[in-house]
Amino acid sequence: MRKTLFKWHSYGALIAMLPILIMSITGSILVFKVEIDSLLRPAHMLVDALPTTPRVNLDTLMQTTLGANPDYELGGWELFDDKSRSDAAYLIKRGTEDWNKVYINQYTAQLLSQPQPMDHYITDWLLELHYSFLLHVKGASIAFIAALIMLFLGISGMIIYRRFWTKLFTLRLGAVKRILYSDIHKMIGIISSPVMIILAFTGAYWNISGIIHEVTEHGDGEHVYITKPLHSLDISFEQLRQQSSTEIDSFQAGYLAMPHEPERNIDFYGQVDTTNPLNSEYSSMVSFDKMSGKLLSKQDIRQADFLMVFIDSFRKLHFGYFGGLITRIIWCFLGLMPVFLAFTGFYLYWQRRQSKVQSKQKRQQVLNEAI
């Protein structure tokens, strides 16, 4: 059983080596996406507001953004009120499915950038590469399979080397390269496997969720492209934002999902005061009718069932920011471990293969001499 599992562990690693390496390297970088964006593009990402400075009315912000970009409709809006990070508006070009992003100072209503495609900036490009290898649904399918293989590698590795815990930090530095690399491979694999399993499971879930959405919503080839607002022009989004904070105790909206498709309504996603460190900043939701503005539903993560709380925890678990800077550094470091596992694993595989070839040649030579 162990020998068979080891064989499939090796084959799985060889099959998914390249996509896993891409996801590993890009994922470790994206742990610090906001910091990298702020460093590279401070004029877009950062604002300087006094602690007492209020946000500009959301309706004014939206009108300013659309007024400067008349060929677009709003698909979503990221809201921040920390006096340092700018808002981001997500625009859809009319008659297309092309999404763009534009930054705006929510305290002055000043536009900080021009609309750019979702993969225009380096970290956004890396995010698309990480999620779908720049191949959209087909790439997401490849990433889903790679994530499943990565999940198998993490679990099978812990089973195969389950007794290595007794000598976890033992490296036979004076041994031949094959033995040393084997020790390194086992040590890195055992240490990083729990995090690898978390990353693989959560990543696979998001991939398959996106694939299912695309298949069920647009699988027939039909797509309704937005050409005009799909909500009543009499609706005040600022009033709805303020109402959302009263519908759920301590609710603070972080993202506004606009009705950019006919069946969608107006949804505010946000965070609440909670004792659960894994509740995300989009854990709770308040939904309004797009034509009347009436409350449709609300979901407080503190009152949600186990499954919803479990799925919501994926965001913080995947990016590792549930414990602040320390866990992000750990996630960034362990997220790179597949690079070393791939190198040492491939070396060991090649050595075993060469050993088998040499043994076969020796047996053939002995047989020839005997004849």
Side-chain angles (χ1 to χ4, degrees):
M1 179 65 183
R2 184 175 178 273
K3 187 175 181 180
T4 302
L5 191 61
F6 180 82
K7 182 188 296 185
W8 283 107
H9 182 90
S10 301
Y11 289 158
L14 289 171
I15 293 171
M17 181 183 296
L18 182 58
I20 288 177
L21 286 178
I22 293 174
M23 292 189 296
S24 170
I25 295 171
T26 55
S28 292
I29 295 172
L30 290 170
V31 168
F32 294 99
K33 183 181 187 301
V34 174
E35 287 78 7
I36 294 172
D37 284 338
S38 299
L39 180 65
L40 298 179
R41 301 183 288 109
H44 296 164
M45 293 291 296
L46 303 178
V47 296
D48 187 13
L50 296 174
T52 56
T53 304
R55 286 179 55 93
V56 172
N57 186 294
L58 183 56
D59 297 315
T60 300
L61 294 174
M62 296 169 74
Q63 291 167 9
T64 300
T65 303
L66 291 175
N69 303 281
D71 296 330
Y72 295 85
E73 292 295 338
L74 278 169
W77 194 286
E78 274 188 295
L79 303 109
F80 297 97
D81 196 16
D82 57 6
K83 314 304 177 183
S84 62
R85 184 175 173 184
S86 63
D87 275 14
Y90 294 87
L91 304 175
I92 308 172
K93 193 166 186 178
R94 288 178 179 168
T96 74
E97 57 181 3
D98 299 333
W99 284 66
N100 292 259
K101 183 192 292 187
V102 62
Y103 296 91
I104 185 170
N105 187 328
Q106 64 271 40
Y107 303 107
T108 64
Q110 175 189 3
L111 287 174
L112 304 177
S113 71
Q114 297 295 320
Q116 298 291 356
M118 296 298 294
D119 59 355
H120 175 76
Y121 300 111
I122 181 62
T123 55
D124 292 331
W125 182 85
L126 288 173
L127 183 61
E128 291 293 320
L129 181 63
H130 178 79
Y131 174 74
S132 66
F133 305 117
L134 308 178
L135 297 174
H136 307 294
V137 178
K138 292 181 180 179
S141 301
I142 296 173
F144 171 67
I145 295 173
L148 290 183
I149 294 176
M150 182 174 168
L151 181 63
F152 167 74
L153 293 176
I155 295 174
S156 61
M158 294 184 71
I159 295 173
I160 293 170
Y161 302 120
R162 60 189 181 276
R163 296 179 181 177
F164 191 71
W165 287 103
T166 57
K167 299 179 180 180
L168 180 58
F169 296 104
T170 301
L171 293 178
R172 288 168 282 185
L173 299 176
V176 296
K177 187 181 294 186
R178 179 180 59 82
I179 295 177
L180 175 60
Y181 277 22
S182 177
D183 287 349
I184 293 175
H185 189 84
K186 294 173 185 177
M187 183 182 71
I188 293 177
I190 290 296
I191 293 175
S192 62
S193 282
V195 173
M196 291 298 101
I197 290 172
I198 291 173
L199 296 178
F201 184 83
T202 54
Y205 171 82
W206 284 333
N207 279 115
I208 195 61
S209 296
I211 293 168
I212 292 174
H213 172 77
E214 287 298 321
V215 171
T216 55
E217 295 293 328
H218 312 129
D220 55 4
E222 295 184 4
H223 195 297
V224 179
Y225 298 111
I226 189 169
T227 58
K228 61 180 181 179
L230 299 181
H231 59 84
S232 171
L233 299 181
D234 296 328
I235 285 180
S236 169
F237 288 91
E238 178 63 25
Q239 290 182 3
L240 295 184
R241 185 183 73 85
Q242 294 181 8
Q243 182 181 342
S244 69
S245 64
T246 63
E247 294 293 343
I248 300 177
D249 181 50
S250 75
F251 179 81
Q252 183 178 354
Y255 184 78
L256 164 60
M258 296 289 290
H260 61 273
E261 294 180 341
E263 70 279 5
R264 293 179 178 268
N265 280 289
I266 300 169
D267 300 323
F268 284 90
Y269 295 88
Q271 60 186 355
V272 294
D273 294 337
T274 174
T275 57
N276 186 344
L278 296 180
N279 288 159
S280 78
E281 61 272 37
Y282 306 116
S283 59
S284 300
M285 184 267 291
V286 183
S287 180
F288 299 95
D289 185 88
K290 62 186 175 184
M291 301 308 296
S292 66
K294 292 183 179 180
L295 177 69
L296 293 177
S297 63
K298 54 185 176 180
Q299 179 63 62
D300 187 339
I301 194 64
R302 295 166 296 191
Q303 301 173 3
D305 57 30
F306 171 79
L307 180 60
M308 182 169 291
V309 174
F310 178 63
I311 293 175
D312 174 69
S313 70
F314 289 3
R315 180 178 295 274
K316 285 192 173 182
L317 285 173
H318 192 80
F319 293 103
Y321 61 99
F322 56 89
L325 180 60
I326 293 178
T327 53
R328 292 169 70 198
I329 293 175
I330 293 173
W331 252 236
C332 177
F333 177 73
L334 294 182
L336 283 174
M337 291 303 101
V339 176
F340 300 97
L341 290 171
F343 175 76
T344 55
F346 185 77
Y347 176 83
L348 294 171
Y349 169 81
W350 182 257
Q351 288 293 309
R352 288 194 301 272
R353 188 172 183 274
Q354 291 297 101
S355 179
K356 290 181 180 179
V357 171
Q358 292 173 2
S359 296
K360 184 177 180 181
Q361 290 175 345
K362 288 181 179 180
R363 287 196 301 270
Q364 186 62 43
Q365 183 179 358
V366 171
L367 181 62
N368 293 338
E369 292 176 352
I371 295 175

